[in-house]
């Protein structure tokens, strides 16, 4: 924090700056970056727009600013990953234009790099104050840089692990209060900032080519992903308004429409517990949202199913729920109901099969009966013929001899 404050003090006081302590939700899973509400109301656009983040090397990144959620969504993930920002790092956002931040990164585990950047910032500020130099001063400037380099090498890293552990728990509400306090401390300076910002380029419309990334939440959702204040037992939930869906310490109600939230609330009420309460730690929030949505859809499909619903569909639902159960979802009651339906459906299918088999057997029996009658007729005909042959057979031998011995 000493380095952070020192870096911030060197920045141009003409434009405002804010400090952000990186929390898990900022640099993993949802990659959502919330700004203090007061700061956004005072200095940032009132509508969704593109905000540029420029790093210390001058490279720019376009990010999606959601005004109603006072934070950055699409594009922030790329900036965070490219700069390998970790939990506990501290970022200074210097608003140099209405829609552009210059970003300085103070890393929790790399104080020498930050101290070097800090020294360069001091040098830059000093050069601006000195104004142009002639050729006779270039040698002194080179000597100054050599001294600066030696000083940077001698700097001792500051252990800030304890500070970061405490700072990482600071909520967004505390940031809002802190910023409000700053505004009250120096109203004249902030009025001057507002005037200078107003003189810059007007905010242009957001291009239709830009798309939301991980935070495109849909028109039916309200609010935004936020940190959970504390763990809540379902027994404390007295009504729908008290119902928060918490995953990995984040409240993700905004990821589901009101209709799905209501449906999920009803499912949780029937089991008197959060169905997702025992999910594996670290699951991606989008994956969890998909699981919740699919669980609700399967529950509705079970309710709407009929005896004619194919066993194949029931089997697919069962397979899906088993996968969710393996990840920790409490869907045992849905699986039990589904297995009952599958058993009844199997009985119905067997009844249809047995009925068809009986019809086929009767048809085969009719065919066999007809064939039996034909065989009986054949037997009777042959019996009459045999009887005639028996009578004639008594005279056959004499007649045979007579024919054999007759004269030529």
């Amino acid at each position: 924090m000493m380095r952070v404050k020192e870096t911030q003090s060197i920045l141009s006081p003409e434009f405002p700056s804010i400090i952000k302590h990186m929390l898990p939700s900022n640099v993993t899973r949802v990659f959502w970056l919330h700004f203090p509400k007061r700061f956004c109301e005072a200095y940032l656009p009132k509508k969704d727009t593109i905000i540029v983040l420029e790093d210390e090397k001058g490279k720019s990144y376009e990010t999606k600013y959601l005004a109603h959620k006072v934070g950055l969504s699409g594009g922030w993930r790329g900036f965070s990953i490219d700069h390998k920002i970790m939990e506990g790092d501290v970022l200074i956002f210097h608003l140099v234009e209405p829609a552009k931040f210059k970003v300085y990164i103070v890393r929790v585990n790399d104080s020498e790099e930050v101290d070097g950047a800090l020294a360069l910032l001091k040098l830059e500020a000093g050069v601006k104050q000195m104004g142009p130099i002639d050729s006779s001063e270039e040698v002194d400037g080179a000597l100054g840089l050599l001294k600066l380099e030696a000083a940077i090498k001698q700097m001792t890293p500051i252990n800030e692990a304890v500070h970061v552990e405490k700072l990482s728990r600071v909520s967004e509400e505390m940031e809002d209060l802190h910023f409000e306090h700053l505004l009250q401390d120096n109203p004249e300076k902030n009025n001057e900032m507002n005037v200078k910002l107003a003189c810059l380029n007007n905010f242009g419309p957001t291009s239709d080519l830009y798309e939301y990334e991980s935070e495109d939440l849909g028109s039916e959702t309200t609010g935004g992903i936020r940190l959970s204040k504390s763990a809540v037992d379902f027994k404390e939930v007295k009504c729908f308004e008290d119902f928060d869906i918490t995953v990995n310490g984040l409240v993700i109600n905004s990821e589901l429409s009101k209709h799905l939230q209501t449906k999920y609330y009803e499912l949780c009420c029937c089991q008197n517990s959060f169905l997702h309460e025992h999910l594996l730690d670290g699951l991606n929030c989008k994956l969890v949202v998909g699981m919740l949505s699919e669980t609700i859809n399967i529950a509705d499909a079970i309710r709407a199913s009929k005896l004619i619903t194919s066993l194949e569909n029931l089997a697919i639902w069962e397979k899906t729920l088993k996968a969710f159960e393996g990840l920790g979802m409490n869907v045992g009651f849905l699986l039990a109901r589904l297995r009952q339906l599958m058993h009844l459906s199997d009985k119905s299918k067997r009844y249809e099969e047995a009925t068809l088999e009986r019809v086929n057997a009767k048809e085969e029996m009719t065919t066999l009966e007809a064939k039996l009658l034909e065989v009986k007729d054949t037997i009777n005909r042959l019996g009459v013929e045999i009887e005639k042959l028996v009578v004639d057979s008594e005279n056959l031998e004499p007649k045979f001899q007579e024919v054999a011995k007759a004269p030529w």
Side-chain angles (χ1 to χ4, degrees), residues 176-190:
D176 290 341
L177 292 174
H178 175 65
F179 185 73
E180 181 180 10
H181 176 69
L182 292 178
L183 289 177
Q184 292 173 350
D185 282 350
N186 200 347
E188 293 181 2
K189 183 176 180 180
N190 286 288

Side-chain angles (χ1 to χ4, degrees), residues 60-244:
S60 295
Y61 294 77
E62 290 182 337
T63 62
K64 183 68 179 180
Y65 171 67
L66 304 181
H68 64 294
K69 295 179 184 176
V70 293
L72 298 183
S73 174
W76 162 248
R77 181 177 183 273
F79 182 91
S80 176
I81 292 175
D82 281 359
H83 293 83
K84 299 177 181 173
I85 299 174
M86 307 293 290
E87 177 185 354
D89 290 346
V90 182
L91 272 61
I92 303 170
F93 291 84
H94 191 205
L95 187 64
V96 295
E97 293 180 19
K100 180 178 180 180
F101 282 109
K102 181 77 173 180
V103 184
Y104 301 93
I105 304 172
V106 180
R107 301 189 186 277
V108 66
N109 293 322
D110 197 0
S111 59
E112 290 185 4
E113 179 182 341
V114 176
D115 288 337
L118 179 59
L120 291 175
L121 276 174
K122 289 181 179 179
L123 177 63
E124 182 182 358
V127 169
K128 287 181 179 178
Q129 292 177 357
M130 289 189 300
I133 60 174
D134 56 33
S135 58
S136 63
E137 295 175 319
E138 291 182 357
V139 176
D140 292 336
L143 289 174
L145 286 175
L146 287 173
K147 291 180 180 179
L148 174 62
E149 182 180 0
I152 291 173
K153 291 181 179 179
Q154 293 176 358
M155 288 181 178
T156 304
I158 300 174
N159 181 6
E160 48 185 347
V162 177
H163 296 287
V164 170
E165 182 181 357
K166 294 179 180 179
L167 292 172
S168 64
R169 301 191 186 102
V170 178
S171 67
E172 313 300 354
E173 289 81 3
M174 289 297 290
E175 289 182 338
D176 290 341
L177 292 174
H178 175 65
F179 185 73
E180 181 180 10
H181 176 69
L182 292 178
L183 289 177
Q184 292 173 350
D185 282 350
N186 200 347
E188 293 181 2
K189 183 176 180 180
N190 286 288
N191 287 335
E192 182 181 349
M193 290 181 187
N194 285 330
V195 172
K196 291 186 177 181
L197 285 171
C199 293
L200 296 174
N201 295 332
N202 293 330
F203 302 115
T206 303
S207 171
D208 293 336
L209 296 176
Y210 294 101
E211 298 178 355
Y212 289 94
E213 288 185 2
S214 63
E215 295 299 321
D216 187 7
L217 304 180
S219 58
E220 287 189 86
T221 58
T222 58
I225 293 179
R226 65 183 191 277
L227 291 173
S228 174
K229 295 181 180 178
S230 61
V232 177
D233 190 281
F234 190 80
K235 295 178 181 179
E236 301 175 14
V237 179
K238 304 301 180 183
C239 60
F240 177 72
E241 285 69 25
D242 299 336
F243 184 65
D244 280 341

Side-chain angles (χ1 to χ4, degrees), residues 267 275 295 298-299 302 321 331-339:
L267 286 176
L275 303 189
T295 300
I298 292 176
I302 290 174
L321 291 176
V331 291
F333 68 104
L334 293 177
L335 279 170
R337 178 68 58 84
L338 195 54
R339 284 163 184 159

Side-chain angles (χ1 to χ4, degrees), residues 5 12 33 43 110 153 162 277 294-295 335 350 401:
K5 292 297 184 182
S12 173
L33 184 66
Y43 300 117
D110 197 0
K153 291 181 179 179
V162 177
E277 187 173 7
E294 191 61 20
T295 300
L335 279 170
R350 180 56 193 155
Q401 292 296 327

Side-chain angles (χ1 to χ4, degrees), residues 238-281:
K238 304 301 180 183
C239 60
F240 177 72
E241 285 69 25
D242 299 336
F243 184 65
D244 280 341
I245 306 171
T246 304
V247 178
N248 299 322
L250 300 173
V251 178
I252 62 169
N253 290 28
S254 60
E255 295 286 288
L256 294 168
S257 67
K258 280 292 184 184
H259 172 72
L260 290 180
Q261 288 182 49
T262 303
K263 288 282 188 180
Y264 185 58
Y265 172 69
E266 292 170 355
L267 286 176
C268 291
C269 285
C270 77
Q271 297 300 302
N272 197 30
S273 66
F274 293 106
L275 303 189
H276 64 282
E277 187 173 7
H278 299 294
L279 279 175
L280 299 178
D281 292 336

